[in-house]
Amino acid sequence: MAHNLAQCRTVIQKAVSGGAKALFLPEASDYIASSPSESISLCQPADKSPFLLGLREDAKHHSLPISVGVHEPSLNPASKRIRNTLLWINAKGEITHRYAKLHLFDISLPGRPPMKESATIEAGNEILPPFETAVGKVGAMICFDLRFPEISLALKRQGADVLLYPSAFTVPTGKVHWLPLLRARAIECQAYVIAAAQVGKHNEKRASYGHSVVIDPWGEVVAELGGEGEGGPEVVFAEIDLERVREVRGKMPLLRRT
Ligand SMILES: O=C(O)CNC(=O)[C@H](CS)NC(=O)CCC(=O)C(=O)O
């Protein structure tokens, strides 16, 4: 986790030097463990996690809001499982919003070990209403949620201009599904999509697809990173133009107005 904090701090430095108004980090930026028991044992409450305390300090120091995916304990003290959450840290370093991942990644693909996120993670049970930020009204989702367009459509109806999908996508699913799903969400919601992704090898069992991307409300990719991640942590910049959201929605209205 100390290493991951250092990686994030490198990204924060780059974001600050480039004049970013907000920074979007991937799902599970604090750690990716190699077993359910390790994942549960590493988990700390937000107010005690050195990883989050470090990010909050930097957010405050640079007046830079940060969206980050982490692990947090269950709200139920009797639960052995943890939560997979997205936190919004504001420019004062305070955690102001929290979304707990609704859909868990329980799958088995041919020739690969099955993945059962629900062995470790307890699913969230509510959509977080979109919230105002320096880059517009943001709607939060996480990774596998991408396959369930209902949440993004609900967020659009609630006024989201920007949809977040911080992720740690697998390589085989990412190769085929990542970009088309993200572009579809941007096109049908007529919203910006910001998908910050983990990249490269985590441990003997796991690697992530990478290809972080920002997509505009017309569905065009406006910024992207690669799938190697060998040169260390990378950052990519994109302009979030809320006028562009109004324009696309105005020219092709998809929401019924009665
Ligand atoms: O494991 C952690 O600590 C953090 N969580 C994740 O990386 C999650 C669960 S394994 N990954 C995904 O949801 C990938 C989805 C995906 O790849 C797809 O939908 O194809």
Side-chain angles (χ1 to χ4, degrees):
M1 261 185 283
H3 175 70
N4 283 7
L5 176 59
Q7 300 272 78
C8 291
R9 286 189 145 149
T10 304
V11 169
I12 291 169
Q13 271 310 330
K14 291 186 185 186
V16 170
S17 310
K21 285 192 191 161
L23 170 66
F24 300 84
L25 295 170
E27 175 187 27
S29 289
D30 51 354
Y31 59 84
I32 299 247
S34 45
S35 69
S37 58
E38 186 186 31
S39 194
I40 290 165
S41 72
L42 288 171
C43 183
Q44 286 172 309
D47 58 351
K48 303 227 164 57
S49 153
F51 176 84
L52 276 176
L53 292 171
L55 286 192
R56 291 173 57 190
E57 189 179 286
D58 279 19
K60 185 175 174 186
H61 181 247
H62 298 293
S63 292
L64 178 72
I66 301 175
S67 161
V68 63
V70 295
H71 302 83
E72 292 187 88
S74 167
L75 293 177
N76 170 7
S79 169
K80 294 224 168 20
R81 291 184 299 167
I82 59 181
R83 292 179 298 157
N84 180 337
T85 57
L86 177 153
L87 302 179
W88 183 265
I89 302 172
N90 71 11
K92 293 182 191 153
E94 302 156 343
I95 297 170
T96 55
H97 298 87
R98 168 179 282 103
Y99 166 75
K101 189 178 186 182
L102 277 169
H103 297 97
L104 303 182
F105 192 49
D106 289 355
I107 58 129
S108 50
L109 294 172
R112 298 178 60 86
M115 290 177 89
K116 197 163 193 293
E117 188 176 21
S118 65
T120 316
I121 305 290
E122 167 188 292
N125 55 18
E126 59 194 5
I127 292 173
L128 174 70
F131 52 94
E132 269 320 327
T133 73
V135 297
K137 238 176 154 182
V138 163
M141 291 157 287
I142 301 177
C143 199
F144 189 56
D145 285 330
L146 170 59
R147 297 178 183 275
F148 303 84
E150 295 87 347
I151 317 181
S152 57
L153 293 169
L155 290 166
K156 162 176 93 161
R157 275 185 235 108
Q158 292 174 33
D161 303 310
V162 180
L163 302 173
L164 307 185
Y165 289 105
S167 297
F169 241 61
T170 71
V171 175
T173 58
K175 275 184 187 159
V176 187
H177 299 163
W178 174 247
L179 199 52
L181 287 174
L182 289 166
R183 291 187 72 183
R185 297 297 87 83
I187 295 165
E188 67 206 2
C189 294
Q190 302 178 306
Y192 279 92
V193 164
I194 302 179
Q198 298 250 9
V199 62
K201 196 168 169 179
H202 304 292
N203 54 50
E204 287 313 308
K205 293 184 223 157
R206 262 187 83 175
S208 287
Y209 178 66
H211 296 270
S212 292
V213 68
V214 181
I215 303 167
D216 79 5
W218 186 244
E220 221 134 20
V221 171
V222 290
E224 63 188 317
L225 291 173
E228 300 301 329
E230 274 160 12
E234 293 177 283
V235 64
V236 70
F237 294 87
E239 194 79 47
I240 304 298
D241 177 3
L242 298 177
E243 210 29 64
R244 180 89 179 115
V245 179
R246 311 285 160 254
E247 183 196 324
V248 169
R249 290 178 181 179
K251 289 197 172 141
M252 190 194 282
L254 298 181
L255 283 173
R256 187 168 60 162
R257 289 185 190 84
T258 49

